[in-house]
Protein backbone atom coordinates (compact mmCIF):
# COMPACT_ATOMS: atom_id res chain seq x y z
CA UNK A 1 0.00 0.00 0.00
CA UNK A 2 1.25 3.49 -0.90
CA UNK A 3 0.55 6.10 1.77
CA UNK A 4 1.02 9.86 1.48
CA UNK A 5 1.75 11.65 4.75
CA UNK A 6 0.99 15.37 4.71
CA UNK A 7 2.74 17.35 7.43
CA UNK A 8 5.45 14.70 7.53
CA UNK A 9 8.10 16.92 9.12
CA UNK A 10 6.10 17.77 12.26
CA UNK A 11 6.29 16.05 15.62
CA UNK A 12 3.54 13.54 14.85
CA UNK A 13 4.45 13.34 11.16
CA UNK A 14 8.01 12.15 11.81
CA UNK A 15 6.74 9.39 14.09
CA UNK A 16 4.14 8.44 11.50
CA UNK A 17 6.73 8.15 8.75
CA UNK A 18 8.97 5.94 10.90
CA UNK A 19 6.08 3.70 11.93
CA UNK A 20 4.74 3.33 8.38
CA UNK A 21 8.19 2.33 7.13
CA UNK A 22 8.55 -0.15 10.00
CA UNK A 23 5.25 -1.72 8.91
CA UNK A 24 6.54 -2.15 5.39
CA UNK A 25 4.35 0.43 3.69
CA UNK A 26 5.43 2.54 0.72
CA UNK A 27 5.61 6.06 2.08
CA UNK A 28 5.75 9.52 0.54
CA UNK A 29 6.28 12.54 2.78
CA UNK A 30 5.09 16.07 2.06
CA UNK A 31 5.58 19.26 4.06
CA UNK A 32 6.85 22.79 3.67
CA UNK A 33 10.24 22.01 5.26
CA UNK A 34 11.66 18.50 4.95
CA UNK A 35 15.28 18.99 6.04
CA UNK A 36 14.99 16.88 9.20
CA UNK A 37 13.40 13.99 7.29
CA UNK A 38 15.93 14.12 4.45
CA UNK A 39 18.75 13.64 6.92
CA UNK A 40 17.08 10.62 8.51
CA UNK A 41 15.60 8.97 5.39
CA UNK A 42 17.80 9.85 2.40
CA UNK A 43 15.97 7.49 0.03
CA UNK A 44 12.42 8.39 1.03
CA UNK A 45 10.31 10.22 -1.60
CA UNK A 46 9.82 13.71 -0.15
CA UNK A 47 8.02 16.69 -1.64
CA UNK A 48 8.28 20.27 -0.35
CA UNK A 49 4.75 21.57 -0.78
CA UNK A 50 2.36 24.05 0.78
CA UNK A 51 -0.82 22.09 1.49
CA UNK A 52 -2.87 25.10 0.40
CA UNK A 53 -1.50 24.76 -3.14
CA UNK A 54 -3.99 22.45 -4.86
CA UNK A 55 -2.03 22.16 -8.12
CA UNK A 56 1.15 21.16 -6.32
CA UNK A 57 -0.80 18.66 -4.23
CA UNK A 58 -2.23 16.95 -7.30
CA UNK A 59 1.24 15.96 -8.49
CA UNK A 60 2.08 14.63 -5.02
CA UNK A 61 -1.13 12.66 -4.40
CA UNK A 62 -1.23 10.80 -7.73
CA UNK A 63 -0.69 7.06 -7.45
CA UNK A 64 -1.31 6.68 -3.72
CA UNK A 65 -3.84 4.41 -2.04
CA UNK A 66 -4.42 6.59 1.01
CA UNK A 67 -3.42 9.90 2.57
CA UNK A 68 -2.96 10.92 6.19
CA UNK A 69 -2.91 14.59 7.15
CA UNK A 70 -1.14 15.71 10.31
CA UNK A 71 -0.74 19.32 9.20
CA UNK A 72 -0.45 21.91 11.94
CA UNK A 73 -0.31 25.64 12.55
CA UNK A 74 0.28 28.07 15.37
CA UNK A 75 -2.37 27.89 18.06
CA UNK A 76 -2.99 31.64 18.27
CA UNK A 77 -2.57 32.40 14.55
CA UNK A 78 -3.42 29.32 12.45
CA UNK A 79 -3.65 31.44 9.31
CA UNK A 80 -6.28 29.22 7.70
CA UNK A 81 -3.87 26.29 7.41
CA UNK A 82 -6.53 23.75 8.41
CA UNK A 83 -9.48 25.02 6.38
CA UNK A 84 -7.57 26.19 3.31
CA UNK A 85 -5.26 23.20 3.46
CA UNK A 86 -8.18 20.85 4.00
CA UNK A 87 -10.04 22.23 0.99
CA UNK A 88 -6.98 21.89 -1.27
CA UNK A 89 -6.17 18.39 0.01
CA UNK A 90 -9.72 17.11 -0.46
CA UNK A 91 -9.91 18.49 -4.00
CA UNK A 92 -6.53 17.03 -4.96
CA UNK A 93 -7.42 13.60 -3.56
CA UNK A 94 -10.77 13.60 -5.36
CA UNK A 95 -9.16 14.71 -8.60
CA UNK A 96 -6.54 11.96 -8.44
CA UNK A 97 -8.90 9.20 -7.29
CA UNK A 98 -7.32 8.68 -3.86
CA UNK A 99 -10.30 7.58 -1.79
CA UNK A 100 -9.05 6.90 1.74
CA UNK A 101 -8.28 9.96 3.83
CA UNK A 102 -7.44 10.17 7.53
CA UNK A 103 -6.86 13.56 9.12
CA UNK A 104 -6.13 14.93 12.57
CA UNK A 105 -8.31 17.46 14.32
CA UNK A 106 -8.78 18.14 18.04
CA UNK A 107 -11.25 17.32 20.78
CA UNK A 108 -11.37 21.06 21.47
CA UNK A 109 -13.41 21.57 18.28
CA UNK A 110 -16.44 20.43 20.29
CA UNK A 111 -15.82 23.17 22.85
CA UNK A 112 -18.96 22.46 24.88
CA UNK A 113 -18.34 18.72 25.10
CA UNK A 114 -18.98 17.83 28.76
CA UNK A 115 -16.32 15.13 28.46
CA UNK A 116 -13.64 17.82 28.28
CA UNK A 117 -12.21 19.00 31.61
CA UNK A 118 -13.84 22.23 32.76
CA UNK A 119 -10.56 24.16 32.75
CA UNK A 120 -10.04 23.17 29.11
CA UNK A 121 -13.50 24.33 28.07
CA UNK A 122 -12.88 27.67 29.79
CA UNK A 123 -9.48 28.11 28.11
CA UNK A 124 -10.72 27.52 24.55
CA UNK A 125 -12.48 30.88 23.95
CA UNK A 126 -9.66 32.76 25.66
CA UNK A 127 -6.63 31.26 23.94
CA UNK A 128 -7.60 28.94 21.08
CA UNK A 129 -10.78 30.25 19.44
CA UNK A 130 -9.20 30.92 16.04
CA UNK A 131 -7.46 27.54 16.01
CA UNK A 132 -10.60 25.55 16.71
CA UNK A 133 -12.75 27.64 14.38
CA UNK A 134 -10.29 26.84 11.59
CA UNK A 135 -10.29 23.13 12.49
CA UNK A 136 -14.09 23.12 12.56
CA UNK A 137 -14.19 24.48 9.02
CA UNK A 138 -11.73 21.79 7.94
CA UNK A 139 -13.92 19.08 9.46
CA UNK A 140 -16.96 20.38 7.58
CA UNK A 141 -15.03 20.34 4.30
CA UNK A 142 -13.89 16.76 4.85
CA UNK A 143 -17.37 15.54 5.82
CA UNK A 144 -18.89 17.12 2.72
CA UNK A 145 -16.40 15.37 0.44
CA UNK A 146 -16.83 12.14 -1.53
CA UNK A 147 -13.80 10.62 0.23
CA UNK A 148 -13.73 7.64 2.57
CA UNK A 149 -12.74 9.81 5.49
CA UNK A 150 -11.95 9.46 9.16
CA UNK A 151 -11.44 12.57 11.29
CA UNK A 152 -9.34 11.74 14.34
CA UNK A 153 -9.74 14.21 17.18
CA UNK A 154 -6.74 14.14 19.48
CA UNK A 155 -6.56 15.60 22.95
CA UNK A 156 -3.49 17.55 24.09
CA UNK A 157 -0.41 15.98 22.47
CA UNK A 158 2.58 15.01 24.59
CA UNK A 159 5.98 13.70 23.54
CA UNK A 160 5.93 10.49 25.55
CA UNK A 161 6.37 6.80 24.67
CA UNK A 162 3.27 4.96 23.51
CA UNK A 163 1.15 3.40 26.25
CA UNK A 164 -0.84 1.39 23.70
CA UNK A 165 -3.86 1.80 25.95
CA UNK A 166 -6.17 4.79 25.65
CA UNK A 167 -9.87 5.57 25.39
CA UNK A 168 -11.75 6.29 22.16
CA UNK A 169 -15.21 7.82 21.84
CA UNK A 170 -17.01 8.66 18.61
CA UNK A 171 -17.56 12.40 18.32
CA UNK A 172 -17.00 13.16 21.98
CA UNK A 173 -14.08 13.35 24.37
CA UNK A 174 -13.54 10.44 26.77
CA UNK A 175 -14.72 11.91 30.07
CA UNK A 176 -12.00 13.83 31.88
CA UNK A 177 -9.29 12.87 29.40
CA UNK A 178 -7.06 15.68 28.20
CA UNK A 179 -3.86 14.24 26.75
CA UNK A 180 -2.51 11.55 24.41
CA UNK A 181 1.04 10.81 23.24
CA UNK A 182 2.04 11.52 19.67
CA UNK A 183 3.25 7.92 19.47
CA UNK A 184 -0.17 6.50 20.34
CA UNK A 185 -1.84 8.95 17.96
CA UNK A 186 0.50 7.97 15.11
CA UNK A 187 -0.21 4.26 15.59
CA UNK A 188 -3.98 4.87 15.64
CA UNK A 189 -3.83 6.97 12.48
CA UNK A 190 -1.89 4.32 10.61
CA UNK A 191 -4.27 1.60 11.80
CA UNK A 192 -7.16 3.43 10.11
CA UNK A 193 -5.64 3.27 6.63
CA UNK A 194 -6.51 -0.41 6.27
CA UNK A 195 -9.61 -0.46 8.45
CA UNK A 196 -13.26 0.55 8.07
CA UNK A 197 -13.91 0.54 11.84
CA UNK A 198 -14.06 4.34 12.06
CA UNK A 199 -15.07 5.07 8.47
CA UNK A 200 -16.92 8.39 8.23
CA UNK A 201 -16.64 8.79 11.99
CA UNK A 202 -14.85 11.12 14.39
CA UNK A 203 -12.98 9.01 16.93
CA UNK A 204 -11.67 11.13 19.82
CA UNK A 205 -8.60 9.91 21.70
CA UNK A 206 -7.48 10.49 25.29
CA UNK A 207 -5.98 8.59 28.20
Amino acid sequence: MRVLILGASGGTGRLLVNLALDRGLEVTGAARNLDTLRARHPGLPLHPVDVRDQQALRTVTAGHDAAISVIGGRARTPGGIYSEGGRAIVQALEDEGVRRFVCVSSGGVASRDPGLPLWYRLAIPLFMRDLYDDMRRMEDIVRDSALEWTIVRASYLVDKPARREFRVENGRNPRGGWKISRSDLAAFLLDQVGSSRWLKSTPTLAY
Side-chain angles (χ1 to χ4, degrees):
M1 176 178 283
R2 296 191 65 197
V3 179
L4 171 65
I5 298 174
L6 299 154
S9 63
T12 304
R14 292 194 299 271
L15 293 171
L16 193 55
V17 168
N18 292 339
L19 185 58
L21 291 172
D22 287 345
R23 292 189 184 183
L25 300 177
E26 294 185 55
V27 180
T28 301
R32 281 174 291 184
N33 188 335
L34 291 160
D35 291 344
T36 56
L37 276 179
R38 282 199 179 95
R40 186 172 299 180
H41 303 289
L44 184 70
L46 298 172
H47 299 273
V49 63
D50 187 324
V51 294
R52 291 167 288 194
D53 185 340
Q54 182 185 327
Q55 289 302 113
L57 281 172
R58 287 186 63 179
T59 64
V60 173
T61 57
H64 290 85
D65 302 299
I68 303 174
S69 172
V70 286
I71 62 175
R74 297 178 180 177
R76 299 298 292 270
T77 55
I81 187 68
Y82 294 99
S83 56
E84 294 175 23
R87 183 174 292 106
I89 291 168
V90 164
Q91 189 62 60
L93 293 175
E94 289 181 340
D95 288 347
E96 296 302 322
V98 181
R99 301 290 299 167
R100 189 69 174 108
F101 181 49
V102 182
C103 70
V104 172
S105 183
S106 170
V109 167
S111 58
R112 296 183 181 180
D113 183 347
L116 290 167
L118 178 60
W119 65 267
Y120 198 85
R121 280 181 274 159
L122 293 174
I124 288 172
L126 295 176
F127 303 109
M128 295 173 283
R129 182 189 299 275
D130 290 344
L131 173 71
Y132 289 132
D133 283 349
D134 198 30
M135 284 186 174
R136 193 174 296 112
R137 289 191 290 271
M138 176 192 71
E139 288 193 4
D140 290 340
I141 291 164
V142 173
R143 288 194 185 94
D144 289 341
S145 74
L147 301 175
E148 296 173 355
W149 55 266
T150 299
I151 298 169
V152 180
R153 287 179 177 169
S155 48
Y156 181 76
L157 292 173
V158 294
D159 294 312
K160 299 287 185 181
R163 294 186 187 179
R164 297 184 176 82
E165 290 186 3
F166 47 87
R167 295 177 291 161
V168 185
E169 297 280 352
N170 187 20
R172 62 183 183 182
N173 194 73
R175 183 165 293 277
W178 65 276
K179 63 182 178 179
I180 188 80
S181 75
R182 294 182 187 275
S183 297
D184 278 322
L185 172 62
F188 184 86
L189 292 169
L190 203 55
D191 288 344
Q192 306 318 304
V193 169
S195 171
S196 60
R197 169 66 181 85
W198 296 101
L199 190 64
K200 297 195 175 180
S201 298
T202 311
T204 306
L205 281 54
Y207 292 131

